[in-house]
Amino acid sequence: MNMVPAGYRSGFVGIVGRPNVGKSTLLNYYLGEKISIVSSKPQTTRHRVLGVLTREDAQVMFLDTPGLCTPAHTLGRYMQEVAKSVIDEADVLVAVIDGRVGVREDDERLFARLRQALSGGRAGNRAKQHCLLAINKVDVAKKPRLLPLLELCAKTKLFEECIPVSALTGYQMDVLLACIISRLP
């Protein structure tokens, strides 16, 4: 008989953001292998990619999504719908932005979409959805820009936590994972 330990958590985590902010690198870091394609070419991820991390205390089902941006063609519109469905379905959302460039127009549109989803734009009576922000690529970002960026993102009051990370080097990825797991059902 397989007993689930007390306090065990399990749920879906949507990784969302504009193209080339490091969403797939983040997924690959947690899974310890290249599940999702990583490329400097925007829109490499065309479907949602499911990666499952199983630990003694939790099972985390990561959903990597295509980058959210203004679509220019039919494939682009399809990819945007894929990303939006993950926003509506996930228990925890991890919005990823590029710490080197700060908040761009596409990031602002993502924040508006997240705000809409979190304010009750979801169907059904599921438990409260959680939203975290990963400010990625801080290993190569100019340090004087990070504190104002953290303050700007915190002022949105959209994110429960704003965490500077490097999915490439692993910097603070353990902190982000702990925040994610603590919010899973």
Side-chain angles (χ1 to χ4, degrees):
M1 188 167 161
N2 188 4
M3 296 293 294
V4 175
Y8 189 83
R9 296 181 176 270
S10 178
F12 289 93
V13 176
I15 305 169
V16 296
R18 64 182 172 74
N20 291 84
V21 294
K23 298 178 300 296
S24 296
T25 304
L26 189 140
L27 172 67
N28 292 341
Y29 177 86
Y30 285 134
L31 300 181
E33 57 186 296
K34 290 191 177 177
I35 298 293
S36 205
I37 299 169
V38 176
S39 167
S40 59
K41 182 181 175 207
Q43 307 286 199
T44 302
T45 303
R46 294 189 170 188
H47 307 281
R48 68 177 170 187
V49 176
L50 174 66
V52 180
L53 173 65
T54 303
R55 304 178 358 157
E56 273 188 29
D57 61 336
Q59 185 170 57
V60 185
M61 282 131 326
F62 289 102
L63 298 166
D64 186 14
T65 61
L68 280 162
C69 60
T70 304
H73 43 69
T74 304
L75 176 61
R77 285 190 293 278
Y78 164 77
M79 293 188 311
Q80 298 314 292
E81 289 307 313
V82 168
K84 288 174 183 176
S85 72
V86 166
I87 289 173
D88 291 335
E89 296 168 11
D91 300 300
V92 177
L93 294 165
V94 178
V96 183
I97 63 171
D98 185 335
R100 299 171 305 172
V101 298
V103 177
R104 295 270 171 97
E105 191 175 328
D106 282 337
D107 297 313
E108 292 282 358
R109 278 195 288 276
L110 168 64
F111 294 177
R113 178 70 182 95
L114 292 172
R115 191 173 310 287
Q116 177 186 10
L118 294 169
S119 68
R122 323 170 42 145
N125 292 325
R126 288 186 50 193
K128 179 180 184 286
Q129 195 174 29
H130 300 278
C131 193
L132 306 171
L133 179 69
I135 302 173
N136 195 21
K137 303 184 184 186
V138 298
D139 55 315
V140 290
K142 290 187 170 67
K143 302 301 179 226
R145 297 180 76 184
L146 289 178
L147 190 57
L149 179 58
L150 273 164
E151 289 173 353
L152 173 74
C153 293
K155 281 181 187 173
T156 67
K157 301 203 184 312
L158 177 60
F159 307 103
E160 294 173 32
E161 301 279 347
C162 298
I163 304 162
V165 301
S166 171
L168 190 61
T169 68
Y171 175 75
Q172 292 219 127
M173 293 293 284
D174 57 335
V175 173
L176 178 59
L177 185 59
C179 287
I180 290 168
I181 290 173
S182 71
R183 288 163 173 83
L184 290 174

